[in-house]
Amino acid sequence: MAKFGFGFLAATALLTLTSVSAGGQQVPGSPGATATLTGKQLPPPDPAFGGVINQKASDSRAWWAPRVVPPKGAPNVLLIMTDDVGFGAPSTFGGVVPTPALDRIANSGLRYTNFHSTALCSPTRAALITGRNHHVAGFGVVGEAATGFPGYNSIIRKENGTIGAILKENGYATSWFGKNHNTPFYQATRAGPFDQWPNGLGFEYFYGFVGGDASQWQPNLYRNTTAIYPFEGKTGWNLTTSMADEAIQYMRDLKAVAPEKPFLVYYVPGGTHAPHHPTPDWIKKISDMRLFDDGWNKLRETIFANQKRLGIMPADARLTPWPKELPEWDSLGWEEKRLFTKQMDVYGAYLAYTDNEIGRVIQAVEDLGERDNTLIIYISGDNGPSAEGMINGTPNELTYFNGVQVPVKDQFLWYPFWGSERTFPHFSAGWAWAMSTPFKWVKQVASHFGGTAQGVAMSWPGHINDVGGIRRQFHHVIDIAPTILDAAGIPWPEAIDGIRQRPIDGVSMAYTWDKASADAPSRRTTQYFEMLGNRAIYHDGWVAATTPANLPWAPATGTPPDVITGYNWELYNVAADPTQSNDLASQQPERLKQLQDLFYSEAQKHDVLPLDNSTLARFITPRPSLTAGRTEFTYTGRLTGVPNSGSPSTLNKSYTITAEVTVPDGGAEGMIVTDGGRFGGYALFLSKGEFGFGRGKPVFLYNLLDLKRTIWEGPELAPGKHTIVFDFKSDGPGLGKGGTGVLSVDGKQVASNSLEHTTPVGFPEDESFDIGQDTRTGVALLEHRYDVPFRFTGEINKLTFKLVPPQ
């Protein structure tokens, strides 16, 4: 008989042995032994050796630690969430854009019509994977606007372990495909640290992009923590399809090698966040349907009628009014209607295309024979629809973040290419409001359901049996993680990696799965909301909410009102008025005061304080980074894929770039240094020339948001060593000020030019700082155009940046 010491018994108190031998008897210590975790410490202590060791192997007994597996019956989990999709956009929730994959999950399971997000991307994602409120998870705002307070620093603290970490330690294979907006912006370089990357947050495999958005044609793509460029040389390559391919292959490989091992696939495509990048066939398909020709006002009426017909909204619900700050469709001119319809056709195509590729992933689960053993949760959007295209829409989303409006007439330059790699487009804010139907407001606005209402479909055959049912219980994105653990039979841990865990904020939604529970009271009775100063509190069917002080489609450049006293409050009985159409604040001031007090109580508990309604100030505030405080940078040789947080920032300051290069016999061409790309940035390079002429000229090109390009150019360089200097003197202080640039070669000035404006806030976050070649897209358009990677064919001996700190 094997001898088990006290150490073994203590360690295995956290395990329940589940393996059986070929003879049907459990054999602890055998190579095939498995165990489920019963304790609440992850990972459990290593078990003590349970065999026998004597002087000779023949007198000893081997023993293997059991392999950890989930409880019997634990399902695969396919957790899907799209991006910036309004409640009224998909057909599943009354919209006109066909979403058959979302329909499929809803028709085989349940639709949830009273489910809520945080109103912005990375905060919702942090809440989703941790089961904690977004401030508790460090994401009171998007990571690009992080500040140095616990609720806002964009760090998921170790006390907030993720669903990935918990399932991984319990024997799941965990993976993350698509958008990662939860790695702090200032930790997104190859220097790490990597504990805040998906791999460090419990997801064993990552294939996706880092940041708030990315081109679907040339994304800033990573496999785990390594930048990859699978799109190079592949016309028509699109991340939306590639991501589905990767996830399908991952599941196939896993089930081929370990058919009994369940998976968590966290599938979060970039669609439909701007840039709206569907493939041409989807643009044609949706455009031919002419879904949007009648404009946004009539579209709202159509969607609302659909919602009542489908039972999404009760028969007595009221459609909220159109805001006076946005134009009525019938007030627009012919050019505006034509442009805005094109914008929406491309958006609709992007939503349909994204859902189609999700459908391929769902079909792959069925093809593997795993559909009945898979819990699928499909969340339509991580917040309300985005109005960040401003009143007119834009061919380049970056114009919004830099405070630039693009006139309608000018946008027709991009009209034939809308949605292609030549654009980074977004639609007019009027479409965003329509996609919020039947609610008021949009993304960024946490006070109203237009910013937080998300349609959700959930299916698990044999466990969710009210096929096609609708659930109206109030729930929040923090409730997803405990629902998954409930389904898997896995307890929430008290400690992970020795760190005591903060209590979970979410509640399981599994109580709603039975048909008999269709009308059960919601187990989420209270939920606060806050984003950028807009705030609300839900409690027992009532909502108190601030009236937004700023318009989310107007770049905020003015001074915001006092964050406490500068807001009016509204009051709604959402149990009877689900669309928030009847403000009762003046009729029930005592109830309003009680709810306001409750909000501040919840804010104190959940790291919401201090409240901050600044926007621009938060985006440009200094943060920890590898470059903080540095004014001089020196490089040699080639370096690519450095995000803005790890590169010398030339924004809003004077600077000098000095490149010491060697030109070989026969001349040279190629990129010396660049930051940004087609939609904004700069580059210093030796020209490619045309038809054998003009090769090897030093060029500095400044691309202002794809709206204007300014060029400095010198004579062709002869073979040998050269020193190229670009010196820029800013007209600042201030954001986006112009200035004068001088290009010199070997101590001699060869070009001088002025900029009326420079980029005030940032270059595209899906581009990078590159030395010796250019990745993703080039800054040039026509003059001095080149094809990436445009490798430098000479030698970069030394590259120096000297920055003058802004006043």
Side-chain angles (χ1 to χ4, degrees), residues 210-253:
V210 178
D213 59 29
S215 166
Q216 299 298 292
W217 305 110
Q218 300 100 0
N220 59 327
L221 192 60
Y222 290 83
R223 179 171 280 113
N224 298 318
T225 59
T226 301
I228 57 174
Y229 309 93
F231 46 82
E232 285 188 356
K234 295 180 181 178
T235 302
W237 186 98
N238 191 292
L239 177 58
T240 307
T241 293
S242 174
M243 189 179 134
D245 292 343
E246 285 279 331
I248 291 168
Q249 193 61 51
Y250 171 87
M251 292 187 297
R252 287 175 177 167
D253 292 350

Side-chain angles (χ1 to χ4, degrees), residues 570-593:
E570 304 165 15
L571 178 67
Y572 299 99
N573 177 3
V574 293
D577 174 25
T579 65
Q580 295 177 304
S581 62
N582 184 22
D583 181 8
L584 302 173
S586 62
Q587 300 175 35
Q588 299 197 39
E590 291 185 6
R591 186 186 295 273
L592 176 60
K593 178 63 167 60

